[in-house]
Amino acid sequence: MDRKFDWHGTSRIMLEELSRSLTAVREHELDALTSEIVGAKRIFVYGLGRERAMLLAFAMRLMHLGLQVHVVGDVTAPAIGPGDLWITSSGTGRLATVEALMGIVKPAGARVVFFTAFPEAPLPRQADVVVRIPAQTMREGAEHVRSVQPMGSLFEQTQLLLFDLCVIRLIDLLQPAADEMEKRHTNLE
């Protein structure tokens, strides 16, 4: 503990980074995301690592809204098919498991929403909707965006806020009763 760490200065930098990343996401991509969700028969989410944690939080809120949502890999997840939506994420746009699952999802007739910092990568280009998050990932930053935070933290934090922003829009569109959302929250805690 040789030098004093600037907690407040670093937190301000983090918030500025997050604000820049969040507000740089294109509104038409978020409109497309919410349209896909509203039009889906069932929603499936898939991601790995911290991106998975963000997707799990999103899946929980979609369930609270009364939507049919499944987490890929859970033993209760049914087969995906026409009318379904697969929401996935790879900050770098490259992930072997996402590639393998894309080979199942697309031929099954489901639509795909893909979150990434690199929409020009081959995997996101196969998606029906791409939501580009301009943030540092494990690979690097989109358009050389650099963060004071390690690895893909900025991408993942932006993703969580985007998911919550999407939930607010879905509440606006679907008009669920607040008490109904609360009733859907687990009582097995």
Side-chain angles (χ1 to χ4, degrees):
M1 299 294 251
D2 299 326
R3 62 183 175 91
K4 180 150 174 62
F5 182 74
D6 184 2
W7 292 99
H8 295 293
T10 303
S11 67
R12 278 192 296 277
I13 292 169
M14 290 172 66
L15 289 172
E16 288 167 5
E17 290 176 348
L18 188 54
S19 178
R20 272 193 307 273
S21 180
L22 182 64
T23 58
V25 176
R26 296 179 180 114
E27 285 187 24
H28 73 273
E29 294 174 0
L30 298 175
D31 287 337
L33 166 66
T34 54
S35 292
E36 291 287 342
I37 290 169
V38 168
K41 181 172 64 174
R42 298 175 302 178
I43 301 155
F44 295 75
V45 300
Y46 178 78
L48 293 171
R50 287 169 49 111
E51 290 176 47
R52 176 181 172 81
M54 304 308 131
L55 283 160
L56 290 174
F58 189 40
M60 182 183 193
R61 286 291 184 250
L62 294 176
M63 178 273 295
H64 290 154
L65 284 167
L67 301 173
Q68 262 196 63
V69 61
H70 303 281
V71 176
V72 175
D74 285 354
V75 296
T76 58
I80 197 167
D84 293 335
L85 177 64
W86 187 54
I87 300 174
T88 192
S89 177
S90 172
T92 63
R94 304 178 284 159
L95 203 54
T97 53
V98 172
E99 183 175 8
L101 290 171
M102 186 80 80
I104 296 168
V105 170
K106 292 298 281 183
R111 296 198 38 94
V112 176
V113 171
F114 202 113
F115 285 83
T116 186
F118 295 92
E120 72 284 355
L123 283 175
R125 289 189 359 207
Q126 297 176 47
D128 299 292
V129 173
V130 176
V131 179
R132 179 184 163 272
I133 299 174
Q136 180 175 308
T137 67
M138 288 289 295
R139 187 169 102 195
E140 59 192 21
E143 299 168 2
H144 308 292
V145 175
R146 287 284 172 228
S147 174
V148 67
Q149 301 175 70
M151 300 162 33
S153 291
L154 179 58
F155 180 89
E156 297 142 4
Q157 291 162 4
T158 303
Q159 194 172 40
L160 180 62
L161 287 181
L162 282 176
F163 289 152
D164 281 344
L165 183 61
C166 180
V167 167
I168 293 168
R169 176 63 176 137
L170 289 167
I171 289 170
D172 179 54
L173 290 170
L174 302 173
Q175 297 290 308
D179 63 328
E180 287 301 313
M181 287 183 68
E182 289 176 19
K183 285 179 188 174
R184 291 185 190 104
H185 192 283
T186 186
N187 60 0
L188 300 173
E189 296 180 316

